[in-house]
Amino acid sequence: MKWLHKDLLDVSQLSRSEVMAIFETAGRFQELQERPVKKVPTLKGRSVILFFAEPSTRTKTSFDVAGKRLSADTFSLSKSSSSLTKGESLKDTALTLQAMAPDAIVIRHWCSGAARFLADRLDCSVINAGDGRHAHPTQALLDSFTLHQEWGDLAGKTVLILGDIAHSRVARSNVILLNKLGAKVRLCGPRTLLPPAVRTWPVEVYSDLNEAVRNVDAVMCLRLQLERQKDGLLPDLREYARTYGLGQKHVDLANQDVKIMHPGPMNRGVEISSDLADAAGSLVLDQVSSGVVIRMALLFLYMTRKGEE
Amino acid sequence: MAKADLIVRRAKMDGKDVDVFVSRGKIVEVKKSVRSLDPGDAIVEEAFGLTLMASMTDVHVHLREPGYEYKEDVESGLRAAAWGGFSNIMCMANTKPVNDCDSVTELMLEKARKYWPKGPRLFPIGALTKGLSGKELAPMAELARAGCAAFSNDGVPVKSSKIFRLAVEYASDWDRVVIDHCEDPYLGVAAGVNEGEVSSRLGLPAQPDIAEALQVGRDILLAEYLDLPIHLAHISCKKSVDLIRFAKQRGVKITAETTPHYLTMTEDILEAEGTQYDTNAKVNPPLRTEADRLCMIEALNDGTIDCLATDHAPHALHEKETEFDVAPCGITGLDTALSVTWQLVRDGVLTREAFTRAWTTAPTAIFKLPVNTFKPGDPADFFLFDEDEQWTVSATTLYSKGKNTPLLGSTLKGRVKTHFIAGKKIV
């Protein structure tokens, strides 16, 4: 498939067939993971700047590994090491980076819309690695890819997304992508952590986890930002864990062989019980592996989009 | 009848060609144009069929001087007002330093006299509380004596209902109306986007319409309790309109304004392709829903909303060319207000009567400012307007220093060609 998009800002830009093309490409890269030498020269001479204005270990490392396995040169820039801390605007930082002629910039930023802001101003590909509460397309793609690997077709499956939906870019992108792939989506969390207009989303909304989890095929737990309690959105973490923390008793209500997912990093004992995180049905580490191959696929497709492979 | 020293010939008014006779800055007579006329010593201005309109009044403008002259200054703001069709503008107190002492008021007025001695007329609005802190009353007597026409904490709503009550009472001693920026200070302050479907999809922290309506409710109860007037600034939503309508039915001394952008734009602009996350559409209160927009038009037509104001809020390009969360709220408005709202009249959405009331007679009545209704003795404040001239909103066609409007690149119809204030041609 000839890749036509310049940027990846959210999964809403992608057609179902484009998602399948990403999965297919990622699937081919999976074989590479098992080789003794996990590197191919595909993107040799290309450069990717990893611009993470917000802390990240997992996503940044995943992109770094993905780039290096394709022989791209990856350069990291964090907020603390960038001029943003000196008051430089995002626009000037972006233009400075552009002047270094990268082929792609992977950006994570605390403001919704920041990836689009860069994409509108830069010639190179911009890949959104999470912008504010808005979107996290690569996480959604790797989550669906992980389920695709387990189930094949996602159509007809029911996925519950559990926790702090209001502040979650992971949830927003997953709702869009899971619907696009034919899955039914349920959301569950306290009202204070649900978006104001969630009833207009293509989802079923629950406040009782025991009801929400009934007959689902997968549960995606979301990380709870512990400062939400300070914001007054929760009485305390203990109550949250008792009411919305996923435990074995909930899994027993779900469909047999239910898959447990978490984008990490996990607060064990808060949004998910520790046992469950390590249980047989847990796909948490599969998600990490999928993350590398999905990001390899994306770097490959976006950086060779002009047929310059 | 006084001898005319200015005659404007063949202007179009209500579909007829008229001649306007002016003497010593006042209207003498407006009558059907005649083929030939002996002007005597009068200056003759040939209108060539341009539309004659009474100058407008804008009771809500941010001129930014002193302190933020890079965004706007008195000179550039008055230039935009002159070309925008405004003879009277009231400027808010959130300057740096805040307009909470007579020296700041006097500085503004001195600048206006220096750069625009013939108008537009500037009426500063004094701070309601010192430094807009919401804690201590500003010296309103001093500010009124220096020339402040009203008082407001616009931009920084007063949290304490007690302080706000005292401010309304104290201002009344000086026969000044208090203008309130209606916003519950704890419900999504200055988020710049409406809480609802769009904000939930875009993942933006947002302000619900009840943040405005709660404060409107408070002000209505206070105004009724004190039997004193309160003017509600930049009303944006149906919930507020419902409360204001209820208050007016009870005879409460509440007046209200809305802005051209709440009549013509909605939150959807922030999600549309090409304008997604457009910081030029970030404004406080935020652009609301289509139902709110339609309600604002209805409320203006039926008089529930008394007047229009631009809430002209110029910002520098670099301040708006940034992440949405970081960008300041505000839309520049003096240049575009007339074209935008006249288009609503042209489209049959806004009545001609509501247009005239909202831009001229209502704001001047509320704040006791000069008004031209073309009756003999009225101030000769009017402009000639080319209804058909098309212009594209751009950095070069806006007279304000602020270029921050979602209308950038749009083509509007209608421009001021000549403007007279007190019978003197200012542009």
Side-chain angles (χ1 to χ4, degrees):
Chain A
M1 169 181 267
K2 189 171 169 67
W3 201 254
L4 299 173
H5 300 286
K6 170 182 163 282
D7 310 298
L8 176 61
L9 304 181
D10 195 11
V11 287
S12 53
Q13 297 173 300
L14 304 173
S15 67
R16 193 177 189 284
S17 60
E18 285 169 335
V19 173
M20 287 302 143
I22 293 168
F23 287 1
E24 193 186 323
T25 310
R28 279 191 265 129
F29 285 129
Q30 266 184 324
E31 183 266 328
L32 184 66
Q33 304 273 75
E34 289 152 20
R35 292 188 203 168
V37 178
K38 301 174 180 59
K39 194 156 181 151
V40 288
T42 313
L43 295 180
K44 195 167 189 324
R46 311 290 176 91
S47 51
V48 184
I49 292 177
L50 307 177
F51 177 25
F52 279 64
E54 192 184 69
S56 162
T57 306
R58 180 175 310 243
T59 306
K60 188 174 175 185
T61 308
S62 181
F63 268 109
D64 201 11
V65 169
K68 285 189 165 77
R69 289 202 170 146
L70 295 172
S71 297
D73 297 315
T74 61
F75 304 92
S76 290
L77 185 70
S78 62
K79 184 187 177 188
S80 58
S81 64
S82 79
S83 297
L84 286 177
T85 52
K86 298 176 185 171
E88 186 174 71
S89 71
L90 180 60
K91 180 192 169 191
D92 285 335
T93 302
L95 293 177
T96 302
L97 294 175
Q98 165 135 308
M100 297 176 192
D103 297 288
I105 291 180
V106 176
I107 178 176
R108 167 165 293 186
H109 198 283
W110 65 89
C111 289
S112 300
R116 172 173 288 276
F117 180 87
L118 281 199
D120 288 345
R121 287 162 178 80
L122 302 185
D123 298 329
C124 68
S125 287
V126 172
I127 295 178
N128 185 3
D131 62 329
R133 307 171 183 182
H134 172 230
H136 197 343
T138 65
Q139 179 70 43
L141 285 163
L142 77 87
D143 287 342
S144 284
F145 179 71
T146 306
L147 293 173
H148 179 76
Q149 295 271 296
E150 289 290 319
W151 298 333
D153 197 354
L154 270 64
K157 299 287 188 182
T158 302
V159 179
L160 168 65
I161 305 178
L162 172 64
D164 181 2
I165 314 291
H167 303 90
S168 175
R169 53 197 173 214
V170 174
R172 281 182 176 77
S173 289
N174 263 310
V175 165
I176 296 168
L177 185 57
L178 289 166
N179 268 285
K180 198 172 289 232
L181 298 179
K184 289 180 192 155
V185 183
R186 295 180 185 178
L187 301 179
C188 181
R191 181 68 182 262
T192 52
L193 295 180
L194 292 174
V198 71
R199 299 279 168 192
T200 63
W201 290 17
V203 295
E204 291 175 356
V205 182
Y206 295 82
S207 54
D208 183 338
L209 179 53
N210 292 309
E211 282 180 39
V213 78
R214 208 172 288 277
N215 301 324
V216 300
D217 299 294
V219 182
M220 290 182 177
C221 299
L222 297 175
R223 176 178 168 76
L224 181 75
Q225 299 288 329
L226 301 182
E227 63 264 28
R228 298 297 170 227
Q229 189 189 338
K230 288 184 199 153
D231 294 343
L233 299 170
L234 298 170
D236 59 51
L237 293 181
R238 178 177 157 273
E239 173 159 296
Y240 180 83
R242 290 184 61 167
T243 315
Y244 294 102
L246 190 73
Q248 187 58 47
K249 64 175 182 177
H250 303 116
V251 169
D252 293 342
L253 297 170
N255 280 346
Q256 208 172 9
D257 202 23
V258 62
K259 303 301 176 193
I260 309 299
M261 305 175 81
H262 195 299
M266 289 184 281
N267 295 308
R268 286 177 183 253
V270 179
E271 64 259 5
I272 187 168
S273 75
S274 192
D275 291 350
L276 219 49
D278 302 326
S282 168
L283 296 179
V284 173
L285 295 177
D286 301 76
Q287 288 173 272
V288 178
S289 302
S290 296
V292 173
V293 292
I294 280 289
R295 285 160 183 141
M296 287 172 76
L298 291 168
L299 291 176
F300 170 75
L301 289 168
Y302 279 85
M303 293 172 75
T304 60
R305 70 195 154 90
K306 292 173 186 165
E308 296 162 352
E309 190 181 348
Chain B
M1 188 169 68
K3 193 177 170 195
D5 50 35
L6 168 70
I7 304 169
V8 178
R9 294 271 285 148
R10 284 179 280 268
K12 192 170 76 179
M13 190 184 201
D14 299 330
K16 296 175 192 148
D17 275 355
V18 297
D19 295 337
V20 185
F21 297 80
V22 174
S23 174
R24 297 184 178 204
K26 310 270 190 196
I27 299 286
V28 174
E29 189 178 20
V30 179
K31 62 182 181 182
K32 190 177 173 195
S33 191
V34 292
R35 186 173 294 243
S36 62
L37 180 88
D38 177 9
D41 296 333
I43 295 168
V44 175
E45 176 79 19
E46 178 56 61
F48 296 111
L50 292 173
T51 299
L52 176 70
M53 283 192 183
S55 299
M56 307 191 301
T57 290
D58 190 347
V59 299
H60 194 140
V61 169
H62 297 270
L63 285 189
R64 308 300 189 199
E65 185 174 11
Y68 304 102
E69 291 84 352
Y70 67 97
K71 297 175 194 256
E72 189 82 287
D73 54 36
V74 171
E75 182 188 9
S76 64
L78 288 176
R79 182 167 58 239
W83 282 102
F86 295 96
S87 57
N88 303 315
I89 63 170
M90 292 170 57
C91 63
M92 284 295 173
N94 58 343
T95 47
K96 188 179 173 184
V98 167
N99 184 18
D100 61 2
C101 58
D102 57 5
S103 56
V104 177
T105 310
E106 285 160 5
L107 173 114
M108 292 174 173
L109 291 171
E110 180 54 34
K111 294 270 181 178
R113 274 192 293 271
K114 180 178 174 188
Y115 293 113
W116 289 85
K118 296 174 186 172
R121 303 180 194 92
L122 182 63
F123 298 94
I125 298 168
L128 208 57
T129 59
K130 286 178 190 166
L132 302 177
S133 66
K135 292 177 181 157
E136 291 178 88
L137 297 185
M140 292 186 224
E142 170 187 315
L143 288 163
R145 278 195 294 271
C148 285
F151 297 105
S152 180
N153 251 40
D154 187 59
V156 193
V158 179
K159 290 182 185 176
S160 161
S161 295
K162 178 187 170 188
I163 294 288
F164 188 69
R165 170 205 172 148
L166 295 173
V168 173
E169 290 180 305
Y170 194 70
S172 71
D173 287 341
W174 313 102
D175 197 22
R176 296 294 191 275
V177 175
V178 163
I179 304 170
D180 194 22
H181 173 131
C182 298
E183 181 180 352
D184 180 287
Y186 302 103
L187 280 175
V189 177
V193 59
N194 183 47
E195 183 173 297
E197 288 185 40
V198 171
S199 72
S200 79
R201 284 191 291 265
L202 292 178
L204 288 170
Q207 186 210 67
D209 56 4
I210 56 162
E212 177 180 298
L214 277 169
Q215 212 78 335
V216 167
R218 176 193 77 170
D219 290 358
I220 286 168
L221 292 171
L222 263 178
E224 183 171 36
Y225 181 70
L226 301 173
D227 194 26
L228 288 173
I230 297 175
H231 180 73
L232 308 177
H234 43 51
I235 294 301
S236 68
C237 65
K238 180 176 186 305
K239 288 189 177 71
S240 298
V241 167
D242 290 345
L243 291 170
I244 294 164
R245 190 171 282 129
F246 169 74
K248 288 195 166 182
Q249 283 164 358
R250 288 164 68 92
V252 181
K253 293 174 179 170
I254 282 285
T255 53
E257 74 195 30
T258 190
T259 75
H261 43 267
Y262 301 123
L263 302 180
T264 53
M265 299 178 201
T266 68
E267 59 181 354
D268 297 334
I269 195 170
L270 289 170
E271 211 174 21
E273 192 56 42
T275 54
Q276 202 177 34
Y277 293 106
D278 182 3
T279 57
N280 282 330
K282 182 178 180 182
V283 63
N284 187 32
L287 300 174
R288 306 286 187 188
T289 65
E290 177 66 2
D292 289 309
R293 187 186 75 83
L294 295 173
C295 175
M296 300 314 300
I297 292 172
E298 184 191 350
L300 199 56
N301 277 328
D302 70 19
T304 304
I305 298 288
D306 299 85
C307 64
L308 281 162
T310 61
D311 191 7
H312 176 74
H315 291 293
L317 178 64
H318 71 271
E319 292 172 316
K320 281 287 196 178
E321 195 176 10
T322 183
E323 303 93 310
F324 195 88
D325 286 3
V326 175
C329 291
I331 293 175
T332 187
L334 283 169
D335 285 281
T336 55
L338 173 59
S339 302
V340 164
T341 49
W342 186 248
Q343 185 63 45
L344 293 173
V345 176
R346 200 194 314 258
D347 292 343
V349 173
L350 189 66
T351 65
R352 176 70 196 256
E353 294 71 30
F355 174 92
T356 303
R357 185 194 71 241
W359 279 128
T360 60
T361 52
T364 51
I366 295 165
F367 297 102
K368 304 174 188 74
L369 307 181
V371 64
N372 175 18
T373 62
F374 292 109
K375 292 195 184 107
D378 280 354
D381 300 350
F382 55 83
F383 57 86
L384 297 170
F385 181 57
D386 184 345
E387 291 188 49
D388 297 322
E389 180 176 328
Q390 296 200 346
W391 63 289
T392 301
V393 181
S394 72
T396 53
T397 55
L398 296 172
Y399 289 96
S400 166
K401 284 187 187 177
K403 315 298 180 188
N404 50 303
T405 167
L407 294 170
L408 278 179
S410 305
T411 300
L412 302 181
K413 255 177 128 176
R415 285 222 102 171
V416 170
K417 305 307 289 182
T418 308
H419 194 168
F420 292 87
I421 294 179
K424 304 287 185 207
K425 191 172 180 176
I426 60 160
V427 297

